[in-house]
Amino acid sequence: MSDLVLSTAQLEVKRAPSGIGSLRIVQTACILVIALVIVSPLLMLFVASLKDDRFQILADMGSFRAFWVSDPTLSNFMEVGNFSGQLAFGRYLMNSLIILAGTVGFGLVVNSMAGFVLAWGSLRGRALILSLVIALYVIPQESIIMPLVIMVSRAGITDTFAVQIVPWVASPLYIYLFYQFFAQLPKELFEAAQIDGASVFRIYRSIFLPLSLPALATVSILMGIEAWNQYLWPILVTQTDYARPIAVAIATFFGQDSIYWDRAMAASVLMMIPILALYIAFQRWFVSSFVGSAVKG
Amino acid sequence: MGKRLLSLLMASAALGGFAEAKTVIHVMHQGDPGWVATYGDVAKRFEAANPDVDIELIYAPHDAYNEKFSAAVMAKQLPDIMELDAPFLANYVWSGYLQPIKPLIDQDVLDDMTESNIAQGTYPADKDLYAVGLTDSSVVLYGNRKYLDAIGARIPKGVDDAWTREEFEGYLEKLSKLDGVKWPIDTFRGYGIKTEWITYAYGPILQSAGCDLIDRETWKSVGTLDSDACVEAMTMMQTWVKNGWVVPQSSGTNQFFAEGHPAALAMGGHWFYAEAAASMKDDVVVMPLPKFGPQGASPNGTWIWGITTASENPEVAGKFISFMLKDKQFRDYARDDSAYPGLKSFAADSPLYDTGGPMAVAFEQASKTAVARPPHPAYPIITSAFMGAVDEIFNGGDVKAALSAAAEKIDEDIEDNDGYPPFDEQQ
């Protein structure tokens, strides 16, 4: 009997690793397939940007040739990457970078300050203000866009960088994100600094802000993507190419009669690079922010 | 000394101000990169010829043009000149955004306009001209010569010779069984429902079948759009889709000349010729739109130029439009882009559309079968309601119910606006 038990146990020991092994292969295969599905549009975009015939790009779509280029050329990039002329995409790219830097830079300061005050400030009716901030989040941007257009035109700031930065600096979502992060930090930190005589602003700047790298990274990335992809707003509030971002410039390639896929793809690749760089720069803290929020009780 | 210096500074500032005082004309437009560059060049040439005028171009992407226009209206920042899609003209005039353009445009340009160009720029309530363009547009039936020869199809010689519905559907069926043909026809569903395509291209099918989007005398849609003739015409199109004869929306707009040529026919705009001919060379056959009922019908109307009521310098604005429409380089670019002529002199300079030219049949349609989209201030709702109905029908919805719902929506809008006077007086 004992021999039988022993032999069964040995069998189980042998089977277990092989079962896990095949499961891992299946898992890996699934991950690879999913990764391929996710990456394939980007790959198609990049490959198409290296083709100089827009009709060929159209003809190749829907077949495996969409992922292959026999005579790669950088002519599309040369054409859209210039800084002068009627279609100065280099200029538009710079405009987008200025808008991105302005929105994220001011946004981090304003939203983190608001979040900190809501978490630790001695305001009366803090809970009510917080509820209002959350309530604001559910109002769709589309419903306020026309009144906002009237406001900025009356303020005389249309066709400027400011009109594309200022309205989007304060955001209920990011205020709430900062609030949530600051509120989770230990109360002792705040009290110890107070005992040492630090002002509320000093506590925010010297203690809480340096500890909030994951929140700063998360907001930077989300806010950056939002600012980078703004399309309708710049169309409505800008008249000339002085402050127009690249997303609007790319729309030029989608004409009434034809779509210039070759140049649109090259411009899209160029447009992708800065936001990808932002993500890579902040990725470590971005991920840790999500992991942190998931494991905290 | 201080006062003298101050006076000197003020005087020089004033002189400088006078020296720089130029008339600024804002021009709002859409267009692809080629057109954007062309407008920029023509503006520079006009400024060189008129040193006291500055032309400021305001670009708005094609798909967001109406939003940009609405924002300009709300912000009271209407440009002096605006490019507008012809079927929306009645709405803009009724709303008070455009001014009559005849007194502002050079007489030789006005005398040069084709009939359909005059029609697309005329507001029917007062019969006045509010916009003018170098170009117009049309839709034709493109065919793959090899496939048509393989099924023994008759190739029409001109508009009077167009296929009948029976011939057309018979050919679709034969083509559906032909080796190499995946879809007998591309009706450009790929353009989606956010453009004017459905109303522009499919509306004439209804008109050819003996009905319309709206009654053009009573301005009532119920009883017209959901009439038996319209239900029959839309059921016919739904059957093409159900039979798998039509290129689906998800397959894009290039299946006529894509690898292997999976679509045998294409009901496409005049602009499609350049793409199709570049890819298929002599295999492209251009034919008139089929007759789906007693008479043929084809669309017209494109983006044209109007002067807004907000313009403080309408004479200068008119001068710029006249200059642009006569500018040689501007016309050369339009001709090379296979633009459809809206001026007689431009037609004479466009061999593509001239007698014997590959697109001559498209130009012939302009005088024989062109039907403008309903020139009514309710057009924005007419087009959106019809496009919604067609989308529902193509996705398998009940034809009569979809058309009735659209017709009711249109009539409700007209009632809500008290009949858009003076259109109510035309009944």
Side-chain angles (χ1 to χ4, degrees), chain B residues 369-385:
Chain B
T369 59
V371 182
R373 282 160 278 178
H376 191 275
Y379 184 76
I381 196 79
I382 295 173
T383 186
S384 71

Side-chain angles (χ1 to χ4, degrees), chain B residues 24 54 87 110 144 171 218 279 281 391:
Chain B
V24 180
D54 252 351
L110 296 172
N144 183 319
Y171 293 145
T218 63
S279 173
K281 309 285 186 293
D391 195 43

